[in-house]
Amino acid sequence: MNGSTIDSQAISAIPRASAPSEPSGAAMPESIRAGQLAIEAFKKDVEAVVSNDDLKQLDRLPILRQIKEDRKLKLHDTDIRKMMHDARHRGRAPFEPLTSGDKLKRAKTKWLWEGIIMASQINIILALAKTGKTLFILQFLAALINGEDSFLGKKLSANDNNQHILICGPDMNEADWAECLDTSGLLLNDELIGDGQIELLTAEHTFNLDDDGIDFIASKAQQHPGLIVLLDSYTKAMEGMGYQDKDTSYGDPLSALADAVAPWGATVIVIHHVSKGNRNASPVLAGRGSMRMSEIASWIVKMQFVKEESIDSSSDGLVTGPRKITTTGRGRSIELIAEMDDDGKWHGGEALEMLVKQLQEEEKKTILL
């Protein structure tokens, strides 16, 4: 959807369900019977919208919202999404549960970067401004495509150094991207390295995660199975689309993207922001806006300054020093320390326990003084 306005012709073109015949059984109050009939009719509308391949994914919920208003139904978006889910799965084969004696298949989690970036899944990178999120991911990508064994002490996949990389970067203009890419070793003589292995969209391309943007990424995923997508940032990619970050619908484009690229095993890395008020929250709760994004992601990476005073820096540039990296998802969690130097380069830091102990000792000395 390229805007918040839905074409009235698109709505009128959808076959509208007539009210179903009255249910048999004992008599019930007229108000309840009317409500039941209206809900059943709306469910038929949902089926018509979900099964219409001519409708864009992001247009479907707004269309159903309009039909709901026309029918004067008081339904929340969560109710409509549940109906859409049921409509998609209606008519599927009956369940055949596994039982005692059946062997269960195991699937080992595949990592592009062990414990940090999960392959073929949605990964979200959360941090405050000036934390170095973009350089963190770009330098990982540089290490990956250069065939290095590890980065920041964590193993890299040995089989993915030839993967195609698509950077959708509406958060920065071309000149700023050039600086970041050069710092990360992804530019050579001001040209992207590799033989067409990396593609870049900048702020000048006015990329949005609307239907056109999702279709574009999906076409690249189909063309390059195992594609690595960097979306920087989600907030900027959603700009002007009529979504509010506090609404549960804020995560809908990310969900649609996940569905669109899943058949080709694409890895999606989404850079998102936290507010200062949420900086100490868990990775699941720290992201700006609705929690729905955390629900969609398979793996969440949260970066924060080890020294709290770093967030009050008045500098316009990146803040140097150590960061605590906390990752979580699928019942697991990992912590490590990484550090950014004055040149914007990331390095493996001290062991978390040693650094925390050092900071605690410094705090004790300060108190004694």
Side-chain angles (χ1 to χ4, degrees):
M1 184 173 62
N2 294 323
S4 58
T5 303
I6 301 299
D7 188 348
S8 59
Q9 292 183 349
I11 297 177
S12 61
I14 301 171
R16 295 291 292 274
S18 58
S21 58
E22 292 189 20
S24 60
M28 63 177 70
E30 183 64 30
S31 59
I32 295 178
R33 182 165 56 248
Q36 183 181 13
L37 293 175
I39 290 292
E40 291 302 318
F42 183 70
K43 287 181 178 179
K44 296 291 184 183
D45 293 327
V46 173
E47 289 182 16
V49 168
V50 168
S51 61
N52 191 329
D53 293 335
D54 293 332
L55 292 177
K56 294 182 177 181
Q57 289 289 335
L58 296 183
D59 280 349
R60 295 180 180 189
L61 181 59
I63 287 173
L64 287 171
R65 286 192 190 117
Q66 184 61 56
I67 295 174
K68 175 200 74 172
E69 294 296 326
D70 293 345
R71 289 192 178 277
K72 296 180 171 56
L73 293 171
K74 294 183 178 180
L75 296 172
H76 297 292
D77 281 358
T78 52
D79 301 318
I80 301 175
R81 287 195 187 94
K82 179 62 169 59
M83 292 179 186
M84 293 172 72
H85 172 83
D86 291 344
R88 291 189 195 99
H89 290 81
R90 192 165 289 116
R92 65 184 174 187
F95 293 112
E96 294 184 10
L98 296 167
T99 187
S100 300
D102 292 336
K103 288 189 177 294
L104 276 65
K105 298 176 182 177
R106 293 179 180 267
K108 187 177 180 181
T109 299
K110 183 183 176 185
W111 298 98
L112 289 183
W113 186 9
E114 186 178 20
I116 311 294
I117 299 297
M118 190 177 287
S120 304
Q121 303 294 337
I122 302 293
N123 302 263
I124 296 181
I125 314 298
L126 297 170
L128 290 169
K130 299 190 288 184
T131 310
K133 302 179 291 296
T134 300
L135 290 174
F136 182 74
I137 295 301
L138 290 180
Q139 288 170 41
F140 144 66
L141 292 174
L144 182 70
I145 64 179
N146 285 329
E148 296 182 21
D149 295 330
S150 64
F151 183 59
L152 301 182
K154 295 293 181 180
K155 186 178 179 181
L156 297 176
S157 172
N159 303 316
D160 293 286
N161 59 310
N162 291 320
Q163 293 304 99
H164 200 81
I165 297 170
L166 173 63
I167 301 173
C168 299
D171 211 26
M172 290 191 288
N173 60 33
E174 185 174 332
D176 288 340
W177 272 111
E179 291 294 329
C180 289
L181 291 162
D182 188 35
T183 298
S184 303
L186 292 172
L187 281 189
L188 181 62
N189 297 324
D190 287 341
E191 295 180 3
L192 289 165
I193 66 171
D195 186 15
Q197 185 176 358
I198 305 173
E199 294 185 80
L200 171 66
L201 295 177
T202 69
E204 286 84 354
H205 293 96
T206 60
F207 175 87
N208 284 114
L209 198 62
D210 52 17
D211 282 297
D212 291 337
I214 292 171
D215 288 346
F216 173 76
I217 295 174
S219 68
K220 292 294 181 180
Q222 185 175 15
Q223 185 180 353
H224 305 283
L227 176 73
I228 300 172
V229 181
L230 171 57
L231 178 59
D232 187 0
S233 65
Y234 192 78
T235 301
K236 195 67 176 180
M238 295 287 288
E239 198 170 81
M241 289 176 57
Y243 290 88
Q244 300 294 322
D245 61 13
K246 63 183 179 180
D247 299 332
T248 55
S249 59
Y250 194 64
D252 286 354
L254 182 59
S255 179
L257 175 63
D259 291 341
V261 301
W264 298 283
T267 300
V268 179
I269 304 169
V270 180
I271 290 182
H272 194 40
H273 303 293
V274 302
S275 63
K276 286 188 178 182
N278 286 340
R279 65 183 182 275
N280 293 319
S282 71
V284 173
L285 299 174
R288 196 172 119 188
S290 168
M291 276 186 59
R292 177 152 166 75
M293 290 184 64
S294 296
E295 295 168 356
I296 296 166
S298 294
W299 200 247
I300 304 173
V301 180
K302 179 191 169 192
M303 304 170 57
Q304 64 187 111
F305 296 106
V306 171
K307 297 180 180 180
E308 285 290 315
E309 61 268 23
S310 296
I311 66 172
D312 297 322
S313 171
S314 59
S315 170
D316 291 332
L318 292 168
V319 179
T320 61
R323 275 80 155 152
K324 178 182 175 182
I325 315 294
T326 306
T327 68
T328 189
R330 299 189 178 182
R332 288 169 289 177
S333 183
I334 295 172
E335 289 185 342
L336 67 147
I337 292 292
E339 189 167 4
M340 175 177 283
D341 65 20
D342 293 336
D343 296 322
K345 299 290 182 66
W346 281 91
H347 305 279
E350 302 171 72
L352 178 62
E353 295 80 8
M354 292 182 62
L355 183 60
V356 170
K357 184 178 179 180
Q358 177 186 337
L359 291 173
Q360 288 174 340
E361 290 176 352
E362 290 177 357
E363 288 176 1
K364 288 179 181 178
K365 289 179 181 178
T366 303
I367 292 172
L368 291 173
L369 292 173

